[in-house]
Amino acid sequence: MTDFRSGFACLVGRPNAGKSTLTNALVGQKVAITSERPQTTRHTIRGIVHRADAQLVLVDTPGLHRPRTLLGERLNALVRDTLTEVDVVVFCLPADQKIGPGDRYIAAQLAEVSSPVIAVATKADLVGRGRLAEHLLTISQLGEWADIVPVSATDGYQVDVLADVIVGHLEPGPALYPDGELTDEPESVMVAELVREAALEGVRDELPHSLAVVVDEILPREGPTPMLDVRVNLFVERDSQKAIIIGKGGARLREVGTEARRGIEALLGTRVFLDLHVKVAKDWQRDPKQLGRMGF
């Protein structure tokens, strides 16, 4: 088929702009962690969209923001590197929030990008028609966009339209990944993300930035039934944060384990014994050595 197109699209936007939810909606399955807390994505997760006419590889990046820590600087550098390597950029601007300094900061960065940039009004289901129209007008005045598309990832509104628009900007080319593959992230990264998502569920604002999750090992267990032993370390910066994650009598950590184990078993397709350990790594976000150890 000569008309087949393929390529990479990168989703950018300030923290909590709906990038991960949109990645999952486009792929049709969960490949990126989502949370109401800003700054939950730490790695560029690739989701792969398979179509009869195209293969689209989505790169979900951390939110671009003015960095306050070494971790923040490294995350921003990661986004900028990604922008130079993709065919299309998708700029997410949530409809339920006014365009602010963060969006203008990103728009200024994107003005220097050579790839086409599609501006997307995410979370369109959360506002009325009038507010959405206003938001789209403001977006159009923010920069020079290849296209502007309103979507809602939660109820599927215009997700297919957006996919068509992105594919329209790709060059003809062969499929880049085998059929049926949804992500090229290593299993250990996906496992760490599932634990992190479960640990962030329902906690107060002080935790998201301070939590890092590292998979120590994934080993097959000896015995008649197939099972994996998965050892995971959760790093926080202070003893008070450790107490929040563990909870009274370890209740909270048990909940985190149960929730994460469900996702991990679905991902790995086998039963899992999940062993979680919470450790304090003082000020790890500002310490180059510790950041390196945690894979940043």
Side-chain angles (χ1 to χ4, degrees):
M1 203 160 93
T2 48
D3 294 346
F4 195 87
R5 293 165 183 258
S6 63
F8 291 83
C10 169
L11 282 76
V12 297
R14 59 185 154 92
N16 214 11
K19 299 181 295 296
S20 298
T21 312
L22 186 54
T23 298
N24 292 337
L26 285 161
V27 174
Q29 236 168 301
K30 184 166 184 165
V31 292
I33 78 161
T34 56
S35 160
E36 288 308 306
R37 305 266 171 261
Q39 267 321 102
T40 40
T41 308
R42 290 259 175 82
H43 298 272
T44 51
I45 301 263
R46 290 173 174 79
I48 303 161
V49 181
H50 299 273
R51 299 173 29 141
D53 61 340
Q55 190 181 76
L56 171 62
V57 185
L58 296 170
V59 186
D60 178 35
T61 60
L64 258 176
H65 59 296
R66 289 182 194 279
R68 291 194 299 272
T69 61
L70 181 60
L71 172 66
E73 282 169 29
R74 288 196 181 172
L75 291 177
N76 272 1
L78 186 72
V79 180
R80 290 208 185 88
D81 290 349
T82 306
L83 289 179
T84 61
E85 295 162 5
V86 296
D87 305 294
V88 182
V89 178
V90 178
F91 181 17
C92 298
L93 300 118
D96 64 331
Q97 296 164 39
K98 285 211 176 331
I99 302 284
D103 301 309
R104 291 193 183 88
Y105 172 76
I106 296 166
Q109 310 278 327
L110 294 179
E112 295 158 32
V113 172
S114 54
S115 317
V117 180
I118 300 165
V120 174
T122 55
K123 309 186 186 186
D125 58 309
L126 299 181
V127 296
R129 284 175 125 170
R131 170 76 191 100
L132 183 59
E134 218 174 284
H135 188 63
L136 292 169
L137 184 64
T138 316
I139 289 174
S140 69
Q141 294 161 349
L142 193 61
E144 293 286 318
W145 314 120
D147 285 284
I148 301 175
V149 185
V151 301
S152 164
T154 49
D155 64 12
Y157 168 67
Q158 295 229 116
V159 172
D160 291 348
V161 172
L162 176 61
D164 289 341
V165 170
I166 298 171
V167 167
H169 287 289
L170 299 180
E171 297 290 322
L176 304 162
Y177 290 91
D179 201 29
E181 204 166 296
L182 295 176
T183 179
D184 70 349
E185 279 297 303
E187 281 177 350
S188 60
V189 172
M190 298 287 282
V191 167
E193 290 289 287
L194 287 166
V195 172
R196 209 166 111 75
E197 180 174 37
L200 287 176
E201 198 58 49
V203 295
R204 294 204 299 280
D205 292 345
E206 62 177 286
L207 210 52
H209 303 277
S210 308
L211 179 67
V213 179
V214 179
V215 174
D216 200 21
E217 56 185 17
I218 300 178
L219 293 172
R221 180 183 281 202
E222 300 288 313
T225 46
M227 193 171 189
L228 292 172
D229 279 317
V230 179
R231 290 177 57 87
V232 179
N233 292 321
L234 292 85
F235 292 98
V236 289
E237 294 190 305
R238 295 192 294 282
D239 287 317
S240 61
Q241 294 166 338
K242 182 176 178 176
I244 291 173
I245 287 195
I246 292 174
K248 197 170 183 181
R252 173 109 183 79
L253 191 62
R254 280 196 296 279
E255 274 171 30
V256 170
T258 305
E259 179 61 31
R261 194 177 67 244
R262 256 188 235 125
I264 294 166
E265 288 183 338
L267 173 75
L268 302 179
T270 182
R271 287 186 58 204
V272 161
F273 175 78
L274 182 59
D275 189 13
L276 300 178
H277 294 269
V278 186
K279 300 181 175 185
V280 177
K282 268 188 128 43
D283 289 332
W284 65 264
Q285 295 188 70
R286 291 177 166 77
D287 180 341
K289 256 207 205 86
Q290 299 204 83
L291 278 174
R293 262 211 304 277
M294 293 174 192
F296 296 112

